Amino acid sequence: MPSGKKLKILFVTSEVVPFIKTGGLADVSSALPQNLQEMGHQVRIVVPKYGAIDERKYKIHEVVRLKDLTTKIGEKDVTFSLRSSFLIGKKARVQIYFLDNQDYFGGRHSLYSDPLSGEDFPDNDERFILLAKSVFELIIKLGWIPDIIHCNDWQCGLVPAYLKLNYQNEPGFDQIKTLFTIHNLSSQGEFPADVFQKTGLPSELKKQAKFISDGKFNFMRAGAEYADVINTVSERYANEICSDKEFSLGLHDILKKRKDKIFGIINGIDDSVWNPEFDKNIAKRYNIKSLENKPANKKALAEKFSFDYDEKIPIIGMISRLYPSKGFDLVIEAFEELMKENLRIVLLGAGDKKYHRFFMEALSKHQSKFSCYLGFDDQLAHLIEAGSDMFLMPSQFEPCGLNQMYSLVYGSVPIVRETGGLADTVFEFDSKTGEGNGFLFKDFNKDSMMKSILKALNFYHNEPKLWHKIIKNGMRSNFSWINSSKNYIDLYRKVLGA
Ligand code: ADP
């Protein structure tokens, strides 16, 4: 393949902004395809059509030849359709196909788990077997053969295996290469081993370590085994998962074996969405030259959370899924100590019920200093970035992390654990050289985190000039998707042998 040839890329994912989102995967699945398309490549996206996706608003329509297709999941005959629309962004218009099946997706509003019980849906195995199979039926019916199928996280983990094991004889399919992007290893799509029977993969492979981890069928393992090339969303995290068992979470053998095929590409941020200069969701827009407008956002944030507004008291923001890997056990342990400091904390998040319970109690006990909204609210996320002075991300693991990058460009100084993408984007401020854009701590424990927070508070309260410098260093960051998209193209070309 000539190195300048424009590529055909089929991007398979389980969430895409603006249609549906639970986390950073949705941001990436929107921004990257748009940037690739803008660079002249031909991109198409496949995503499930969950009940929460508004069909009318997004003009999702039927395509006759993609209607009422059938496949088998175990013994079941399953009928599905692929419906069409466009992802219309500031940069490009990308064709998107929605996998439509009422039982598996359309009849449920949430993506992976029951919002009331917090439990994963019991048929997630079948739901994402269907996603993987639908990709090949789509290609066959459209007669559009991509150069690359770009698969994301465990939900797409079976795509590379199906391509190599079940669809190799389809005309042209032997030319297709797969890239598997690991956004998050902490969720691997693990199911009882007999799920293998439902997949329709060659039965002689059923006991093989290619699919089975710890006695369980594992979608992520299959993706890592069969993809032609793999990447994670920062270089640091790529190194961590290949070299340290604490990070590889049971996949050490396969990640070590495939080390030479694993690359790190840091995510960009979509500056048409996350940019304080043009952000419609905040109280007053600003940029590095009009930082005097930022406090209006702090005031709006304080009012939103019913705090008495005082410009001199720092607000620490947090926006996150509430799970152990995000470091919330440290926050709980440090909470009473934090509440003794001259600060306010606002939290936006949803996840594990144990954290919901803790923060609801904290809310009634410390309402003058702590407030939270335990749910998902995209608009509020923007106001928190603009209105807070600091942003806390004490993650145990962080493949890339987007919020620390948003914080940097919104002038909210990040305090983060030195891991994964956090370590690749946040650099400790050095008052001697004036370099650095935030504060980091290494050891995953409460004392280490507190030390870093107290250091930041000290700069805030006692060194206003240096504080300003830290803010400006952060706001000068360039997290453009253009760089990251070029790195993806290089990786696609590498695997295509160009
Ligand atoms: P992850 O993908 O592991 O959840 P990231 O930092 O990469 O973490 O991305 C999280 C994304 O989800 C960010 O865009 C963040 O603003 C958003 N987000 C997380 N929780 C919420 C919430 N409760 N409400 C609104 N946005 C949220």
Side-chain angles (χ1 to χ4, degrees):
M1 165 170 304
S3 63
K5 181 190 167 228
K6 297 300 177 196
L7 301 179
K8 287 194 238 167
I9 303 148
L10 185 57
F11 193 92
V12 190
T13 180
S14 57
E15 41 188 281
V16 186
V17 163
F19 307 101
I20 193 92
K21 165 170 173 174
T22 66
L25 171 61
D27 300 71
V28 176
S29 301
S30 181
L32 178 57
Q34 286 183 56
N35 275 275
L36 294 170
Q37 179 106 355
E38 203 199 12
M39 289 161 78
H41 303 284
Q42 207 186 110
V43 189
R44 299 182 181 191
I45 304 171
V46 182
V47 67
K49 204 197 85 54
Y50 308 95
I53 297 179
D54 189 332
E55 290 183 25
R56 282 211 192 155
K57 180 172 169 193
Y58 296 117
K59 302 192 174 72
I60 300 172
H61 58 269
E62 262 176 29
V63 179
V64 175
R65 65 188 153 149
L66 301 178
K67 195 167 176 256
D68 295 335
L69 310 180
T70 54
T71 189
K72 268 200 173 311
I73 297 182
E75 295 304 309
K76 263 190 237 172
D77 289 312
V78 177
T79 304
F80 64 96
S81 301
L82 287 145
R83 299 170 67 193
S84 166
S85 185
F86 286 93
L87 164 63
I88 301 172
K90 284 229 171 76
K91 298 202 157 172
R93 193 165 178 265
V94 183
Q95 171 81 61
I96 180 162
Y97 293 100
F98 289 93
L99 165 59
D100 191 16
N101 173 287
Q102 187 62 15
D103 294 340
Y104 287 130
F105 298 109
R108 306 175 207 187
H109 269 247
S110 62
L111 285 77
Y112 317 120
S113 56
D114 180 333
L116 290 179
S117 66
E119 301 285 321
D120 284 349
F121 289 129
D123 58 354
N124 274 349
D125 53 346
E126 296 184 14
R127 299 170 80 219
F128 293 102
I129 287 173
L130 181 60
L131 176 63
K133 288 193 157 184
S134 74
V135 166
F136 299 98
E137 299 308 317
L138 175 75
I139 298 172
I140 293 167
K141 287 285 176 311
L142 287 180
W144 181 83
I145 299 184
D147 299 304
I148 289 282
I149 307 179
H150 185 153
C151 313
N152 295 278
D153 271 354
W154 77 261
Q155 290 85 352
C156 312
L158 296 188
V159 172
Y162 280 134
L163 177 64
K164 289 227 162 80
L165 301 169
N166 292 41
Y167 286 91
Q168 269 307 286
N169 296 330
E170 291 291 334
F173 278 40
D174 56 340
Q175 302 297 316
I176 304 175
K177 301 288 181 197
T178 51
L179 166 65
F180 185 55
T181 302
I182 298 174
H183 298 263
N184 190 354
L185 261 192
S186 64
S187 190
Q188 297 184 6
E190 291 177 289
F191 300 92
D194 59 9
V195 161
F196 189 93
Q197 268 88 288
K198 295 186 190 174
T199 61
L201 288 160
S203 58
E204 64 275 16
L205 300 178
K206 91 172 171 212
K207 293 225 168 82
Q208 290 212 354
K210 291 174 176 171
F211 297 100
I212 308 288
S213 251
D214 255 349
K216 298 224 175 89
F217 184 84
N218 186 309
F219 279 57
M220 187 73 99
R221 174 174 283 273
E225 175 72 44
Y226 284 96
D228 294 301
V229 66
I230 300 164
N231 82 296
T232 69
V233 283
S234 69
E235 280 184 28
R236 171 77 78 117
Y237 188 67
N239 290 334
E240 286 169 345
I241 63 169
C242 291
S243 59
D244 189 335
K245 282 194 175 160
E246 199 198 325
F247 288 88
S248 54
L249 302 175
L251 298 187
H252 189 66
D253 54 337
I254 168 80
L255 296 173
K256 199 168 156 213
K257 182 176 92 179
R258 303 223 59 203
K259 201 167 186 261
D260 295 343
K261 298 278 181 209
I262 303 182
F263 299 85
I265 300 180
I266 193 89
N267 289 332
I269 64 177
D270 187 341
D271 60 6
S272 68
V273 181
W274 292 96
N275 182 346
E277 200 173 348
F278 304 109
D279 193 332
K280 292 197 185 89
N281 296 306
I282 65 179
K284 194 154 188 178
R285 295 178 207 164
Y286 59 97
N287 61 25
I288 195 165
K289 292 194 186 119
S290 57
L291 265 171
E292 66 282 2
N293 291 342
K294 185 169 160 72
N297 295 296
K298 180 169 175 175
K299 189 157 185 281
L301 183 62
E303 278 162 10
K304 180 106 192 160
F305 282 101
S306 309
F307 289 137
D308 292 335
Y309 177 63
D310 182 339
E311 198 179 332
K312 294 197 181 67
I313 301 178
I315 299 183
I316 302 183
M318 293 189 83
I319 304 166
S320 180
R321 294 181 297 112
L322 302 180
Y323 290 102
S325 69
K326 295 290 184 182
F328 281 96
D329 292 324
L330 299 192
V331 178
I332 288 181
E333 214 187 321
F335 203 77
E336 290 303 321
E337 265 178 65
L338 282 168
M339 290 296 103
K340 292 194 182 110
E341 297 298 324
N342 187 17
L343 50 66
R344 309 270 188 260
I345 295 181
V346 295
L347 164 71
L348 166 63
D352 266 3
K353 294 291 170 239
K354 72 168 181 176
Y355 300 122
H356 283 231
R357 279 194 294 276
F358 177 87
F359 290 119
M360 283 316 285
E361 257 177 49
L363 190 58
S364 55
K365 198 166 155 201
H366 293 287
Q367 44 185 264
S368 64
K369 288 194 166 183
F370 171 73
S371 194
C372 61
Y373 175 70
L374 301 180
F376 193 91
D377 186 334
D378 187 48
Q379 198 176 358
L380 184 55
H382 287 251
L383 182 62
I384 293 177
E385 292 292 5
S388 54
D389 298 288
M390 303 172 197
F391 196 90
L392 180 60
M393 276 178 92
S395 309
Q396 189 176 12
F397 316 112
E398 196 58 79
C400 174
L402 290 171
N403 278 112
Q404 84 282 9
M405 298 199 261
Y406 300 154
S407 302
L408 287 164
V409 299
Y410 278 73
S412 170
V413 175
I415 305 166
V416 305
R417 166 119 195 285
E418 194 186 324
T419 186
L422 299 174
D424 282 354
T425 51
V426 180
F427 306 99
E428 183 77 15
F429 181 69
D430 180 340
S431 54
K432 288 197 192 86
T433 61
E435 284 170 15
N437 55 16
F439 298 90
L440 297 107
F441 62 98
K442 206 176 180 74
D443 299 328
F444 186 71
N445 63 48
K446 182 232 4 161
D447 291 338
S448 183
M449 179 183 81
M450 275 309 294
K451 217 168 135 192
S452 204
I453 295 175
L454 293 176
K455 190 172 174 191
L457 288 173
N458 183 45
F459 272 106
Y460 180 90
H461 289 299
N462 303 320
E463 305 279 0
K465 277 204 180 128
L466 289 180
W467 188 256
H468 224 67
K469 175 99 184 111
I470 307 173
I471 291 176
K472 288 195 163 175
N473 287 352
M475 289 183 82
R476 284 197 194 97
S477 311
N478 176 5
F479 298 119
S480 154
W481 261 111
I482 294 172
N483 295 336
S484 308
S485 307
K486 282 186 186 150
N487 290 334
Y488 274 103
I489 291 295
D490 288 347
L491 195 53
Y492 297 153
R493 291 204 193 283
K494 193 183 188 105
V495 68
L496 287 165

